[in-house]
Amino acid sequence: MRIVSLLPSATEICFALGAGDEVVGVTFECDYPAEARTRRIVSTSALPAGLTPGEIDAVVRARVAAGEDLYKLDAGALRDLDPDLVITQDLCAVCALDVDDVDAALTYLGCTAEVVTTNPHTLAEVLTSIEQIAKALDRDPTPLLEDLRHRLHQLSQQTRTGRRVALLEWTDPPYAPGHWLPEQVELAGGVNILGTAGARSQPVEWADLSGAEVVVVAPCGFGVDQAAELADGLLQAEVLPPTAEVWAVDSNSHFARPGPRLVDGIELLTTILTTQTPSPTQARRLR
């Protein structure tokens, strides 16, 4: 089977299911596992490079309002790869190519590839999407799912710290987390004070963070270095609760992508909330 993955999370899932050798095309964001970087890139961002979070927000809002694409599909690469299976999403226009754009490109190219569309909003739906992809790959998801469910069960049984957590999915403007992120906070033993599980992320006011004991800066699409820079800027701007701990985390690896490593993210939050010391490649405390 020749697989083109148009989602970093789907790429991770394919490799985790043992189908990495069948993945022939990926997006410019597919960086895990490292082997994914050796595959042909078929999707790139249409956004200019070097924008600040505020500038990214403004450009995205303007392009979405105008009906313009945020990603570019390399139709020539797609034709050359001649995939049997294309995995895409119908979750977020900001996250990846829209499924309608993929269908239109395949029709234009005369490609008969099967298209699998994922749309998870919760942790349970993320596990279901793994089953969905496994079925399309004709792979057994049981070992992977049993491991993830076992770890989730262990996390659900741990003693709650009761610490009030404000997790920021974006910083300019500030966004409350949606989808599975509030669940991650709760399973880590914290009390989530921003956002609603299963819902979309929403802009908030800085005053909405006032009751937080721990602020976790997890900007969607950013690694820990970029998140730490943004968190430091928020501290300098004095917009965060003055007595709260402030952490920057690798959102790309552990929070933004609906794949197996979301469980790693919960375990990372548990480490933070129980005052242990996480790896600096995953999280850094700024205050």
Side-chain angles (χ1 to χ4, degrees):
M1 183 178 291
R2 298 174 60 79
I3 304 164
V4 167
S5 169
L6 299 178
L7 291 169
S9 59
T11 300
E12 294 184 23
I13 291 169
C14 288
F15 275 87
L17 290 169
D21 289 344
E22 299 174 47
V23 176
V24 295
V26 297
T27 78
F28 73 106
E29 294 177 305
C30 293
D31 55 7
Y32 186 87
E35 188 181 348
R37 283 295 197 192
T38 67
R39 305 307 196 258
R40 187 163 180 181
I41 294 175
V42 299
S43 171
T44 57
S45 174
L47 298 180
L51 299 180
T52 66
E55 290 168 341
I56 291 172
D57 181 74
V59 171
V60 166
R61 287 175 182 271
R63 292 197 174 186
V64 169
E68 298 176 358
D69 293 332
L70 299 176
Y71 291 85
K72 298 177 182 177
L73 180 65
D74 186 339
L78 194 60
R79 180 186 59 243
D80 294 344
L81 292 173
D82 190 24
D84 303 301
L85 177 69
V86 176
I87 307 174
T88 186
Q89 60 94 42
D90 194 23
L91 175 67
C92 174
V94 180
C95 294
L97 279 158
D98 185 87
V99 64
D100 292 336
D101 294 333
V102 177
D103 287 339
L106 292 174
T107 300
Y108 175 76
L109 296 171
C111 180
T112 58
E114 177 186 359
V115 178
V116 171
T117 305
T118 65
N119 189 28
H121 289 77
T122 65
L123 287 173
E125 290 174 358
V126 171
L127 298 183
T128 298
S129 73
I130 292 175
E131 293 180 317
Q132 177 189 5
I133 292 172
K135 182 178 180 180
L137 300 177
D138 195 24
R139 298 276 175 157
D140 181 10
T142 303
L144 175 60
L145 290 173
E146 283 185 346
D147 173 69
L148 295 175
R149 286 178 174 136
H150 173 69
R151 291 162 63 194
L152 286 170
H153 176 72
Q154 287 186 313
L155 287 161
S156 70
Q157 299 302 303
Q158 69 182 349
T159 302
R160 294 179 58 80
T161 68
R163 303 180 76 191
R164 295 171 58 80
V165 180
L167 191 151
L168 286 171
E169 196 169 339
W170 199 248
T171 59
D172 186 12
Y175 262 74
H179 304 116
W180 48 84
L181 281 90
E183 290 181 272
Q184 288 183 285
V185 172
E186 295 287 338
L187 281 169
V191 176
N192 181 67
I193 69 167
L194 287 181
T196 303
R200 294 190 178 277
S201 57
Q202 296 290 337
V204 294
E205 302 295 331
W206 289 115
D208 295 324
L209 282 69
S210 61
E213 298 171 78
V214 181
V215 174
V216 179
V217 180
C220 185
F222 286 21
V224 68
D225 292 338
Q226 295 166 301
E229 290 180 12
L230 294 176
D232 184 60
L234 298 179
L235 286 171
Q236 293 185 36
E238 299 183 346
V239 293
L240 301 179
T243 61
E245 288 183 16
V246 178
W247 290 83
V249 297
D250 182 350
S251 181
N252 258 348
S253 296
H254 304 305
F255 299 96
R257 299 175 178 178
R261 291 193 293 166
L262 290 181
V263 180
D264 296 350
I266 302 170
E267 293 168 343
L268 176 61
L269 285 177
T270 298
T271 300
I272 290 171
L273 295 180
T274 54
T275 65
Q276 301 177 59
T277 304
S279 166
T281 63
Q282 299 177 340
R284 296 177 199 164
R285 183 174 177 178
L286 286 88
R287 186 177 67 193

